[in-house]
Amino acid sequence: MKKLIALLLVLIISLSLVSCADRQENYTGDTQTSISQTESVPADDVNEIGKNEAESENEGESFVPENATGDMTTATQIMSEEQNGELPEIEGPDGFLEQFVLNPIDAYYIENMEMASSLSGMLDITNNTMMYWETEVNSVYSELMMLLGEDSEEFSKIKAEQKAFNNDLKISADEIKENAEASMTGSMINIEISYRIMLLYRGRAVELLCSAYNVTGEVNVEIITDAAG
């Protein structure tokens, strides 16, 4: 009886060992199959997958740096709040204003400032406009003096006003320079100075042109290109 039990135990142990070996063999085979399947993907296909994923993530996006045009976006955005690339309105008789609004110097300034794409370009335009108005002041003053004649009271009045304007111009220019340096930096300082002085010449030209209009009924403004390089 004892021998029979021993034989049965040996048989059971043998069967258990065979079963474990089979399971181990199947596990190893499955693992190798899985590894083999992974390694079978060509390298070019992997690269393509990565490329497609990257393109999918970036689809619809574009990188546009701010202020891509350089040191400014548009001329009007960088001007001081007061000037803003525009010219102040003037006062005078209706007939005078209707003619003055068509003057070529203002047109030159406005049109070119709208297209300006750099600070150096803005400075050139403002300097040119300043010199155009300076030349216009001198030209209109000379013509007006001839129209009025030395015996006219208006002649003496305008002559005194012109002398005062010339004397005050230097003082005003110094004040403009001081204010610009205190409130601005870099190239905008020179642009602001040129602009403010240009407005002084423009204002004086308006006064002289209005006086001439009262005599002739006409407003004649010209751009003398020799006045600006």
Side-chain angles (χ1 to χ4, degrees):
M1 185 66 179
K2 292 181 179 180
K3 290 182 179 180
L4 180 60
I5 295 173
L7 288 173
L8 290 173
L9 290 173
V10 170
L11 180 61
I12 293 171
I13 293 170
S14 298
L15 291 174
S16 300
L17 291 174
V18 171
S19 177
C20 290
D22 289 340
R23 285 198 298 268
Q24 180 67 28
E25 183 179 353
N26 291 337
Y27 175 80
T28 305
D30 292 342
T31 304
Q32 290 175 345
T33 301
S34 177
I35 294 173
S36 176
Q37 289 175 349
T38 303
E39 292 176 347
S40 66
V41 180
D44 290 342
D45 291 346
V46 174
N47 292 337
E48 188 66 22
I49 293 172
K51 178 181 178 181
N52 292 338
E53 290 177 351
E55 291 176 349
S56 177
E57 289 176 357
N58 294 328
E59 186 175 359
E61 297 180 1
S62 61
F63 177 72
V64 180
E66 296 180 358
N67 298 332
T69 55
D71 53 4
M72 62 175 292
T73 50
T74 62
T76 55
Q77 289 177 326
I78 206 165
M79 304 294 275
S80 65
E81 182 179 357
E82 294 83 2
Q83 70 188 80
N84 195 30
E86 300 177 357
L87 294 168
E89 295 181 359
I90 63 168
E91 298 180 356
D94 291 341
F96 170 79
L97 295 177
E98 291 175 0
Q99 295 186 49
F100 180 84
V101 74
L102 302 175
N103 80 82
I105 299 180
D106 280 356
Y108 165 84
Y109 177 80
I110 294 172
E111 291 173 6
N112 283 276
M113 287 300 284
E114 287 178 351
M115 297 184 295
S117 59
S118 67
L119 294 178
S120 60
M122 292 169 60
L123 182 59
D124 287 341
I125 295 165
T126 310
N127 280 339
N128 287 346
T129 307
M130 177 185 67
M131 288 186 283
Y132 290 152
W133 280 123
E134 180 184 7
T135 302
E136 184 67 18
V137 166
N138 296 331
S139 176
V140 176
Y141 176 75
S142 298
E143 294 177 5
L144 186 57
M145 292 297 97
M146 293 178 61
L147 285 172
L148 296 174
E150 295 184 4
D151 296 335
S152 169
E153 292 184 3
E154 190 71 8
F155 179 95
S156 300
K157 175 177 176 292
I158 292 176
K159 185 177 181 179
E161 290 174 348
Q162 186 66 15
K163 183 178 181 180
F165 171 79
N166 291 332
N167 291 337
D168 293 342
L169 187 61
K170 178 63 169 62
I171 298 175
S172 298
D174 290 340
E175 292 177 352
I176 289 171
K177 181 175 182 293
E178 182 179 348
N179 291 335
E181 291 176 344
S183 60
M184 297 187 173
T185 60
S187 299
M188 284 306 302
I189 293 175
N190 291 331
I191 295 174
E192 179 73 0
I193 293 172
S194 181
Y195 174 81
R196 296 299 173 185
I197 295 176
M198 178 267 287
L199 291 185
L200 293 178
Y201 280 118
R202 181 176 182 263
R204 180 54 183 160
V206 168
E207 294 174 351
L208 293 171
L209 287 166
C210 193
S211 295
Y213 172 82
N214 292 334
V215 177
T216 66
E218 297 180 354
V219 178
N220 296 315
V221 179
E222 298 180 0
I223 289 181
I224 301 177
T225 54
D226 291 343

